[in-house]
Amino acid sequence: MVALAPIGLDIGSTSIRAVEVARTKDRPVINNFGQALLPPGAVEGGVVKDERAVSAALKQLWTSQGFSTRNVALGVTHQQVVVREIEVSNLPPKEMRQALPFQVRDVLPLPVDEAILDFYPLEEPGTNDTVIGLLIAAPKEAVSQLVRAVERAGLHVESVDLSVFAALRAAAHLDSDAEAVIDIGANGTNIVIHEGGVPRIVRSIPRGGTEITKLIASRLGMSAAEAEVLKCRVGLTRGEGLESAEVVEEALRPLLNELRSSLSYYATAAGAQPVARLALIGGAAQLPGLVEKLQTTLGVTTFLSDPLQRVSDSRRGGRHDVLGRFRSSAAVSIGLTLGAA
């Protein structure tokens, strides 16, 4: 029996990615994938700035790709998203949803009536009076804007999930080790440290590939388009472009410091085991030499993770294999379909 899941829809700052899977008794099978570019400034930091542009891109994508459904599982990212470990009263699910705003209002950096709240338990509730878990809070208006832009394109938002959790489902390697899944995009980097697929720490860093491109363009006196090509071709490879490699290394330094800080914070948490490896995804993770740089600088095994590891794709191979070429950027959209079963 084959069942069609909602389309995994990831709306980034530079492009939109959508993945369609069919559910089989063995594992999900990808039967369609598409992406569409967004005009500059249409989406910034997870916030829709130009609703018309986003809706138009979605309409064009659905028309060109011929997806089988208009139901979508939507990924959300935002600099004000809060994911924090807290201890709350152990209540039945319905009562928990009603009581959560009152239990967490003192730990939220934004007004509770302006936030969408959720709670992810990290332990079996049992008969204890309290339960430890992750508080998840997202700005209500930012999420509403995103949903409006999607529904304006004639699509139906069936579910909403944090993009970082979707990336975790697609890219994580599940064993007893602590692992950091790091999604490096154009304008932001999301990091989630997990143990066996259970998230422990989530951070959003407002730094990404565009920052590197801008510095190359400024320092070497070239257009943004030329700088982007040079960045993607040379990256940190000094033998091919010493001057640009030095600029890239300089631009990366703040992000590396942020990542080091995240790993250090996790290591000092009570009972935490050291992070054993870094699993990289996202378009900017393809920067030549980045894997080696992170491994040397942070002293942790680093690799590019394959978000196709939990799905089948009968269409792979050949020059028309768009998903194969852009798989790292498709991690969130793939993970959204995995969570829609």
Side-chain angles (χ1 to χ4, degrees):
M1 180 178 179
V2 177
L4 198 63
I7 306 293
L9 182 60
D10 174 29
I11 301 177
S13 56
T14 60
S15 62
I16 296 170
R17 289 159 293 272
V19 171
E20 179 180 313
V21 304
R23 298 283 174 183
T24 68
K25 63 179 181 179
D26 297 319
R27 63 190 312 191
V29 177
I30 293 176
N31 54 30
N32 206 344
F33 168 75
Q35 61 179 357
L37 294 178
L38 287 171
V43 178
E44 296 180 357
V47 177
V48 175
K49 299 292 187 179
D50 188 339
E51 196 173 302
R52 289 180 180 273
V54 174
S55 298
L58 285 167
K59 288 178 181 179
Q60 186 275 330
L61 182 59
W62 250 252
T63 298
S64 63
Q65 291 300 128
F67 289 115
S68 301
T69 178
R70 290 184 171 273
N71 296 328
V72 301
L74 180 62
V76 171
T77 186
H78 192 281
Q79 290 303 316
Q80 282 189 294
V81 165
V82 175
V83 181
R84 181 177 299 173
E85 185 174 313
I86 63 168
E87 185 174 7
V88 297
S89 299
N90 185 7
L91 300 170
K94 184 177 180 179
E95 294 178 31
M96 173 72 81
R97 285 193 296 272
Q98 294 174 341
L100 194 58
F102 304 98
Q103 297 196 66
V104 304
R105 65 171 64 246
D106 292 335
V107 300
L108 278 184
L110 66 163
V112 70
D113 58 347
E114 296 178 9
I116 297 174
L117 303 176
D118 199 1
F119 180 75
Y120 180 92
L122 294 176
E123 61 182 5
E124 288 296 328
T127 57
N128 296 331
D129 292 335
T130 60
V131 58
I132 295 174
L134 292 179
L135 166 66
I136 303 157
K140 186 181 297 183
E141 181 55 29
V143 175
S144 298
Q145 284 180 327
L146 190 61
V147 171
R148 281 198 304 269
V150 172
E151 294 187 338
R152 184 172 183 165
L155 307 179
H156 170 67
V157 178
E158 193 166 294
S159 62
V160 175
D161 195 6
L162 284 188
S163 296
V164 67
F165 287 166
L168 175 63
R169 286 194 293 271
H173 291 71
L174 306 179
D175 56 27
S176 58
D177 292 331
E179 176 185 73
V181 175
I182 304 174
D183 184 0
I184 310 176
N187 295 306
T189 296
N190 291 318
I191 175 172
V192 54
I193 300 177
H194 72 96
E195 296 175 14
V198 178
R200 298 297 180 184
I201 289 178
V202 174
R203 281 198 69 195
S204 292
I205 303 168
R207 298 186 180 279
T210 300
E211 188 173 40
I212 299 173
T213 302
K214 288 180 178 179
L215 191 61
I216 292 174
S218 172
R219 291 292 177 82
L220 302 185
M222 58 178 62
S223 69
E226 292 171 327
E228 180 70 17
V229 170
L230 184 63
K231 178 189 74 175
C232 294
R233 181 172 60 84
V234 177
L236 290 159
T237 309
R238 288 180 172 267
E240 190 172 348
L242 177 60
E243 189 176 9
S244 64
E246 290 176 344
V247 175
V248 171
E249 189 163 341
E250 179 186 345
L252 269 175
R253 201 166 294 131
L255 176 59
L256 291 177
N257 289 337
E258 294 276 10
L259 294 177
R260 182 185 290 108
S261 173
S262 297
L263 299 181
S264 298
Y265 176 79
Y266 177 77
T268 59
Q273 56 178 319
V275 171
R277 57 186 178 268
L278 310 181
L280 305 186
I281 54 173
Q286 307 291 317
L287 183 76
L290 179 61
V291 168
E292 295 78 11
K293 179 65 176 178
L294 287 177
Q295 185 159 304
T296 301
T297 304
L298 301 179
V300 182
T301 299
T302 305
F303 62 98
L304 284 173
S305 185
D306 185 2
L308 296 176
Q309 61 186 308
R310 294 184 176 89
V311 298
S312 298
D313 184 6
S314 59
R315 309 164 306 109
R316 289 174 63 178
R319 62 189 179 91
H320 298 298
D321 182 14
V322 178
L323 179 56
R325 296 197 303 273
F326 295 98
R327 67 177 67 183
S328 192
S329 300
V332 170
S333 50
I334 292 171
L336 288 166
T337 68
L338 294 176

